[in-house]
Amino acid sequence: MRFRNEAETEALLMSHYEQYYRLAYSYVKSEQDALDIVQESAYKAIKGCRKVKEPDYLATWIYRIVVNTSMDHLRKRREEPMEEDILEVHRNAGQPETSFSGQTEDRLVIRELLDRLSTEEKTVIILRYFEEKKIEEIAAITGETVSTVKSRLYRTLRKLKTQLGDRWEESE
Amino acid sequence: MNENWKQAYEEIPVPKEAQERIVAGICQAKREKQLEEQRCPEAGPDIEKRGNRPGTSGGILVLKRTGATAAAAMLAITLLTNVNPTIANAMEQIPVIGAIAKVVTFRNYENQTNNFEARIQVPQVEGGENAEVPVNKSIEEYADALIHQYEEELKASQGEGHYSLTSTYETVHDGERYVSLRINTTLVMAGGTQYVKIFTIDKATGQEISLKDMLGGSADKLDAVSESIKEQMKAQMAADESVTYFLDSDVPEWDFQGLTGEESYYINDAGQLVVAFDEYQVAPGYMGAVEFAIPVEVTGELEG
């Protein structure tokens, strides 16, 4: 069992690393931090996979590690000066939006909106719509109850809908 | 939520380095896990690990996996062919295999289901006059465990995923007294899996012979072999910058401390003792599974 868990964990890490990176990046908004998070997550996953009793749970469990590791990074960063974040915002603001097609522009707006969400809101939206996880899986990843996840998801959707206005109706 | 949303997310560029960092994390964890196991070889997880594989009594059997590449695995069985008439007479035993040991393919296991495939050659050592060759049981058990592992993975996969297991064999040494049979097993999933196992069997008695036994039980000789390995590591690192061993490193607890006498080994055509290490055991993963041939001056004459 132990051997299988480790082999399975390694296979998951190698085949899903892009998803883990994007998830981490969505929180920390920094390439270097996201890279640190994926490495740390892979390390924690291989180290701890023996403890996972049910191999079917490994995929969910790895997401949980990535989410928690990202949160840790955010917490640590809050204790440090925010210079990098400010720089990032300015860089984004300076981008020549006119050169993008309408569709690309939409996506930029979407990303910007996503960044305005709290980390908890971001987690449910990313996992539900981009990683296509079931509500039950999301609850297992965040360690919350299904009803908490559900109500947060609907609340967040409503919030996005208000901010997007007409654009939301188009895209729905 | 529509496709635009998902695309916006998927357009987040993933740097090439992400994969390397995943591999780095995996390797670091494995290295540490292995060190823990080496420190307490009789601890729970290790027993469980041994239970997964055959023929573990006395020999060493360590499981390793590479991060990115499939690595060849090897199983070398050194057989003591009891042809020395003095010893044979003294023990009043008839040689089991005799001067000419023949290694033949006993059977082939082949399977292909979806993206799962296995090709496992199972060799056996033929003795003269229908003599029972005890080591065949161990070889058979080793192959059965590989097949069992494959079938379990296949059953658990429910048609999903990739899995390729290939096992072949070769005779790497055929001397007067010993026959070394090396079984190369390669497992490819997302990365590669490597098994390293070497055990030595006295064909007349069926008892395994450890590295220490091969050196006549001499702790001094074992130390001399350890020193020879350290010297070779140093010389190689000095000659080539890309070569790294865990020796005099920043992390002393990872360093190669010396042999225990239970390491994998065989005797090469030059009559030298060859000590084989697993990946990560004495060097970083990119070095692969490394071997050191020990000069005859260090070990003394060994019967081939």
Side-chain angles (χ1 to χ4, degrees):
Chain A
M1 180 53 78
R2 173 179 167 259
F3 163 72
R4 243 203 89 194
N5 269 3
E6 194 179 298
E8 183 91 352
T9 304
E10 181 173 345
L12 284 166
L13 289 169
M14 294 304 291
S15 54
H16 290 76
Y17 72 91
E18 293 187 324
Q19 271 116 301
Y20 304 140
Y21 174 85
R22 288 196 182 101
L23 182 56
Y25 183 85
S26 304
Y27 294 117
V28 295
K29 293 279 145 199
S30 140
E31 187 177 307
Q32 283 314 313
D33 283 359
L35 287 171
D36 286 346
I37 291 165
V38 292
Q39 178 168 358
E40 198 178 326
S41 301
Y43 169 83
K44 286 177 183 169
I46 294 291
K47 264 256 159 137
C49 60
R50 190 188 295 169
K51 287 178 273 179
V52 178
K53 298 271 185 302
E54 183 51 61
D56 289 345
Y57 180 62
L58 281 170
T60 302
W61 180 73
I62 295 171
Y63 271 104
R64 186 174 180 147
I65 292 174
V66 177
V67 170
N68 288 339
T69 308
S70 301
M71 297 300 169
D72 285 347
H73 270 250
L74 285 177
R75 259 192 297 277
K76 265 179 236 156
R77 198 199 280 175
R78 241 172 259 142
E79 292 154 18
E80 293 162 12
M82 302 277 284
E83 270 170 66
E84 237 177 271
D85 295 76
I86 293 158
L87 280 177
E88 192 111 7
V89 169
H90 281 288
R91 257 204 307 280
N92 289 342
Q95 278 171 358
E97 282 181 39
T98 44
S99 64
F100 291 114
S101 68
Q103 214 186 22
T104 312
E105 197 185 325
D106 271 356
R107 285 184 214 150
L108 284 176
V109 172
I110 289 163
R111 255 194 251 178
E112 207 175 287
L113 277 178
L114 211 52
D115 288 348
R116 270 190 238 159
L117 300 176
S118 72
T119 49
E120 287 81 9
E121 291 168 339
K122 223 186 259 181
T123 304
V124 290
I125 293 292
I126 291 171
L127 292 176
R128 180 67 192 95
Y129 295 103
F130 307 152
E131 297 295 339
E132 295 174 350
K133 302 285 176 214
K134 295 195 186 78
I135 304 276
E136 289 77 12
E137 280 177 83
I138 299 169
I141 290 168
T142 61
E144 293 165 320
T145 65
V146 170
S147 61
T148 305
V149 171
K150 236 185 230 173
S151 63
R152 184 178 304 132
L153 183 64
Y154 294 139
R155 207 174 48 240
T156 310
L157 281 176
R158 221 170 20 239
K159 186 170 160 185
L160 285 171
K161 210 166 170 176
T162 317
Q163 290 178 345
L164 266 172
D166 294 343
R167 223 189 282 252
W168 176 269
E169 304 301 330
E170 273 169 45
S171 62
E172 204 160 26
Chain B
M1 288 291 154
N2 69 354
E3 274 311 298
N4 254 3
W5 278 85
K6 212 178 163 193
Q7 275 176 27
Y9 181 70
E10 280 168 1
E11 274 171 10
I12 295 173
V14 179
K16 261 204 157 95
E17 207 191 328
Q19 191 178 17
E20 293 161 23
R21 299 289 290 271
I22 285 273
V23 171
I26 291 170
C27 292
Q28 191 189 349
K30 283 184 177 174
R31 206 160 45 218
E32 287 179 20
K33 270 166 102 167
Q34 195 188 357
L35 283 163
E36 283 161 20
E37 280 156 18
Q38 280 174 350
R39 237 174 273 135
C40 41
E42 297 309 323
D46 206 49
I47 289 163
E48 187 188 325
K49 183 181 77 186
R50 287 180 181 199
N52 287 340
R53 275 153 289 141
T56 49
S57 57
I60 70 163
L61 175 53
V62 184
L63 172 68
K64 289 297 151 55
R65 241 154 291 143
T66 59
T69 52
M74 67 167 185
L75 165 75
I77 300 167
T78 309
L79 308 169
L80 174 62
T81 46
N82 190 358
V83 294
N84 182 322
T86 321
I87 291 174
N89 290 338
M91 291 166 78
E92 291 185 320
Q93 265 177 334
I94 300 149
V96 181
I97 294 177
I100 304 157
K102 217 167 107 195
V103 179
V104 297
T105 302
F106 177 55
R107 66 190 168 101
N108 284 306
Y109 174 91
E110 284 184 29
N111 179 276
Q112 176 135 31
T113 310
N114 297 323
N115 288 319
F116 273 59
E117 68 174 320
R119 284 192 308 117
I120 299 165
Q121 284 185 340
V122 187
Q124 74 171 18
V125 182
E126 278 193 345
E129 304 288 314
N130 299 322
E132 278 279 320
V133 181
V135 76
N136 283 335
K137 193 163 170 280
S138 305
I139 297 169
E140 183 82 28
E141 278 171 6
Y142 187 82
D144 284 345
L146 288 177
I147 293 166
H148 180 72
Q149 181 187 321
Y150 172 75
E151 288 176 344
E152 285 293 303
E153 293 287 347
L154 183 60
K155 210 159 62 189
S157 75
Q158 296 176 321
E160 304 265 316
H162 294 254
Y163 195 92
S164 164
L165 186 64
T166 313
S167 189
T168 59
Y169 70 89
E170 60 181 320
T171 306
V172 289
H173 175 73
D174 190 355
E176 297 247 305
R177 192 165 169 183
Y178 302 104
V179 169
S180 288
L181 172 62
R182 180 166 172 147
I183 297 176
N184 301 301
T185 305
T186 310
L187 167 59
V188 183
M189 290 185 291
T193 301
Q194 180 167 48
Y195 298 88
V196 177
K197 174 174 173 60
I198 294 177
F199 58 102
T200 306
I201 296 157
D202 182 331
K203 268 168 51 185
T205 65
Q207 298 297 310
E208 292 196 20
I209 295 177
S210 69
L211 173 59
K212 198 171 178 184
D213 293 338
M214 179 54 89
L215 295 170
S218 161
D220 289 348
K221 261 191 188 168
L222 192 65
D223 284 346
V225 173
S226 298
E227 284 311 309
S228 167
I229 289 171
K230 286 180 188 173
E231 278 166 29
Q232 291 186 45
M233 285 176 171
K234 280 180 199 160
Q236 284 183 34
M237 285 193 281
D240 185 345
E241 263 190 12
S242 68
V243 171
T244 310
Y245 290 106
F246 298 144
L247 189 71
D248 303 327
S249 74
D250 304 337
V251 193
E253 60 266 37
W254 291 2
D255 283 355
F256 172 63
Q257 308 291 348
L259 298 166
T260 62
E262 300 297 326
E263 283 78 7
S264 301
Y265 72 96
Y266 61 92
I267 291 161
N268 70 12
D269 289 345
Q272 294 168 321
L273 178 75
V274 180
V275 180
F277 292 100
D278 302 311
E279 253 186 321
Y280 303 114
Q281 199 173 351
V282 296
Y286 74 85
M287 294 285 293
V290 294
E291 294 182 357
F292 295 90
I294 311 301
V296 176
E297 305 85 75
V298 176
T299 56
E301 260 337 292
L302 295 167
E303 282 183 87

